[in-house]
């Protein structure tokens, strides 16, 4: 059984707050009390906290999680799993929603450089952050090229794009459109679009592409989708994220466009949230459990051995959630 | 401009990793290198990191955020805002998804007792956690009674319940139902149900109540909702969270029940996510921006003065998001 701060307090005959103050050398404490607390700590072989471990030159057992924003259901689910897995392995998670703030992202990387966190799992959307390349420190990435030495875990985006195309194609789609974010050079997510195009190209069809940057406000996004649906040129749409697919679905219903009769629709991500609370949406499911486990395993491997030989890319297979929209 | 670790490294003619090792007294570093790094730090007036601050007996500038789970859209949005506000004030956030794990929640409270975090913002769902009462430390609560000394920030749940009832009533509802979680003794959220009942009681109507515990699996929840809707006893439903309302809405559509013609429906929470991606749902909006700001303000007030005189309860007004379901 782990000895607790309270046990020390009880044995020393003081309050837990007093024990905490003695440990952290904070506040006015008499020498007599200090002595009693230290004696109790020794007697119980009380393991000091992370701060004390740091004082001894050991690690703080903190991991930085740098992602777009936990208010986005996909990143909320990913971060939730990562935090749980890290907790099981004795690490706590520092949360960084980097959104569109590269300076904030860099600040968290500097924490790592200063040994205030043991490692970082990053999947943020900012570009050209030099700190990723600057230190040979434990970092793993989700779905982003950060630096040549940083391994990337992704769902098999190309397979996902092909699967989406094959579902639409099997449903008779002849005029497909893909709605995707801004494609960054070298980003693994570009393979979703590539796989989609490749599949249709092999059937002699050239899909149209519409780019709506990820950070576009929902209201603007809705207007663009409305304009698009008004033209009615397409009989099948693949959105490379589920939130955009939800907007397309609801805009279509509002406009009296019958889904799937007039328009087939398929999304990407397939979070538990979507499967539970918007099950109508047919979507490509990223294996979030496996992604999270692999990210944590790779990071802890690198923390324990900075020179561990890791692959540059790890691709995990996707699956289909069959809803009623395609 | 803030002096960075890299600046120190450059001036000292060593790598950032070496500077970090000198600061943290880790690894084999020659005395000459140590001297050069310390000289560079002094010359640049380099502010040491949080760990160094801790070594000096100052605070680690970490705040624990203990909530149900960031994979839930409401808590994802709340935690996202809290992390951003704390970052602006110079604090970093340690994330704890306590879900249904009271032991995990207690572990994070012990971090606080050991001065490894400066304070905690908690809104978790576990009951009877003695640690909340054990220490007179900086904690503020969202929507939960944790201990007599811990201030509670809530949306005005009673007002929200009355508002939901008034919307249904104005739409002609005669046989209302409220679907709510398990009501904990003394929980501020019970006021949602109370306000709803009070409003209808004053119009001579007694609403029915159905309790589905918050942690019920989505599939089971769906089955219960299906059974309920099959009976068709109610012409208006108030769900005390939006996810349940989404399930009722979609189950009704699947069963051919016309919303709002046959069934009026209103939810509670009104996250930005719902307003952007499921705008059809009429719902009571909790003021998440104001809630987050107040939680952070109260916590920092208490961190700076452990005896700060705070109110036991802070109620913030709710508003209505007018969708098409009621």
């Amino acid at each position: 059984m782990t000895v607790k701060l309270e046990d020390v307090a009880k044995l020393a005959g003081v309050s837990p707050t007093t024990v905490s103050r003695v440990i952290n050398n904070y506040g006015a404490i008499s020498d007599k009390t200090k002595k009693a607390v230290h004696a109790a700590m020794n007697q119980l072989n009380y393991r000091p906290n992370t701060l004390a471990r740091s004082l001894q030159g050991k690690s703080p057992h903190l991991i930085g999680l740098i992602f777009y924003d936990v208010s986005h259901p996909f990143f909320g689910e990913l971060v939730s799993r990562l935090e749980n897995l890290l907790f099981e392995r004795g690490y706590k998670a520092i949360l960084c929603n980097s959104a569109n703030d590269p300076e904030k992202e860099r600040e968290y990387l500097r924490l790592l450089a200063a040994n205030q966190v043991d490692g970082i799992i990053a999947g943020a959307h900012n570009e050209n952050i030099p700190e990723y390349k600057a230190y040979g420190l434990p970092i793993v990435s989700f779905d982003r090229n950060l630096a040549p030495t940083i391994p990337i875990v992704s769902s098999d985006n190309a397979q996902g794009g092909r699967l989406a195309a094959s579902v639409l194609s099997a449903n008779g789609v002849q005029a497909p459109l893909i709605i995707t974010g801004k494609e960054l050079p070298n980003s693994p997510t570009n393979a979703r679009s590539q796989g989609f195009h490749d599949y249709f190209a092999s059937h002699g069809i050239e899909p149209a592409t519409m780019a709506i940057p990820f950070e576009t406000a929902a209201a603007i996004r809705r207007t663009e989708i409305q304009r698009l649906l008004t033209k009615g040129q397409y009989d099948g749409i693949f959105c490379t994220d589920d939130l955009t697919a939800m907007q397309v679905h609801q805009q279509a219903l509002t406009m009296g466009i019958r889904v799937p009769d007039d328009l087939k629709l398929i999304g990407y991500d397939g979070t538990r949230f979507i499967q539970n609370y918007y099950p109508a949406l047919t979507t490509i499911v990223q294996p979030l459990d496996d992604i999270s486990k692999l990210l944590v395993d790779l990071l802890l491997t690198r923390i324990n051995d900075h020179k561990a030989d890791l692959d540059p890319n790890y691709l995990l297979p996707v699956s289909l959630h069959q809803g009623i929209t395609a």
Side-chain angles (χ1 to χ4, degrees), chain A:
Chain A
M1 214 189 85
T2 316
V3 177
K4 293 174 204 157
L5 188 101
E6 295 93 306
D7 303 325
V8 175
K10 207 170 167 187
L11 182 61
V14 300
S15 72
T17 311
T18 302
V19 176
S20 158
R21 287 182 167 176
V22 171
I23 291 170
N24 295 293
N25 200 20
Y26 167 76
I29 313 271
S30 74
D31 283 349
K32 194 181 145 198
T33 302
K34 279 184 194 167
K35 232 178 196 170
V37 170
H38 283 297
M41 284 168 64
N42 287 335
Q43 189 178 328
L44 296 172
N45 193 23
Y46 176 65
R47 291 210 155 267
N49 52 50
T50 42
L51 176 59
R53 278 204 302 273
S54 299
L55 292 172
Q56 295 158 10
K58 291 183 188 156
S59 93
H61 276 225
L62 287 171
I63 302 295
L65 302 180
I66 306 181
F67 287 96
Y68 178 75
D69 197 327
V70 290
S71 71
H72 187 290
F74 180 80
F75 295 109
E77 290 198 11
L78 179 56
V79 166
S80 166
R81 282 167 171 77
L82 292 172
E83 187 269 345
N84 282 318
L85 291 167
L86 288 169
F87 184 79
E88 286 169 11
R89 309 280 287 264
Y91 287 85
K92 302 216 158 46
I94 294 196
L95 177 65
C96 171
N97 300 300
S98 60
N100 304 311
D101 186 348
E103 271 315 305
K104 192 172 172 190
E105 190 165 348
R106 297 178 70 177
E107 161 96 10
Y108 280 85
L109 288 164
R110 289 191 280 262
L111 283 185
L112 176 57
N115 276 4
Q116 294 170 292
V117 298
D118 298 278
I120 280 178
I121 303 177
H125 288 193
N126 299 307
E127 297 170 68
N128 301 321
I129 307 278
E131 279 79 0
Y132 282 113
K133 299 184 179 72
Y135 321 114
L137 289 171
I139 306 178
V140 298
S141 162
F142 171 68
D143 238 359
R144 292 286 174 277
N145 279 312
L146 299 174
T149 55
I150 298 177
I152 306 170
V153 174
S154 295
S155 68
D156 189 338
N157 290 296
Q159 181 211 356
R162 286 193 303 271
L163 180 55
S166 73
V167 169
L168 294 186
S169 180
N171 279 276
V173 166
Q174 292 292 321
L177 170 73
I178 175 169
I179 303 182
T180 187
K182 191 177 59 179
E183 304 208 332
L184 306 178
N186 262 328
S187 169
T189 55
N190 297 347
R192 288 180 205 169
S193 178
Q194 194 59 52
F196 189 76
H197 277 91
D198 289 350
Y199 185 94
F200 271 111
S202 74
H203 289 65
I205 291 174
E206 181 55 44
T209 298
M210 180 177 177
I212 308 182
F214 189 80
E215 63 276 12
T216 305
I220 294 173
R221 195 182 279 264
R222 189 156 48 233
T223 310
E224 294 197 20
I225 290 166
Q226 187 178 8
R227 198 177 303 138
L228 171 84
L229 292 178
T230 305
K231 290 190 197 154
Q233 299 157 282
Y234 307 107
D235 59 356
I237 298 181
F238 169 41
C239 299
T240 59
D241 76 283
D242 284 339
L243 299 195
T244 304
M246 282 178 76
Q247 286 193 312
V248 171
H249 188 219
Q250 285 168 77
Q251 190 60 48
L253 295 179
T254 304
M255 293 167 70
I257 298 170
R258 291 172 309 162
V259 179
D261 296 353
D262 304 331
L263 177 69
K264 276 67 167 161
L265 177 65
I266 187 164
Y268 199 101
D269 284 344
T271 54
R272 204 168 287 172
F273 175 80
I274 288 287
Q275 295 189 48
N276 283 332
Y277 296 103
Y278 208 81
L281 183 67
T282 298
T283 184
I284 308 297
V285 179
Q286 299 205 55
L288 269 173
D289 284 334
D290 295 338
I291 288 170
S292 314
K293 275 180 204 144
L294 187 53
L295 284 167
V296 169
D297 278 351
L298 292 173
L299 182 66
L300 297 191
T301 301
R302 188 142 276 186
I303 286 172
N304 291 321
D305 174 6
H306 282 212
K307 290 173 181 161
D309 189 24
L310 305 177
D311 290 347
N313 290 288
Y314 294 83
L315 284 188
L316 295 170
V318 298
S319 58
L320 181 70
H321 167 75
Q322 184 64 62
I324 57 171
T325 62

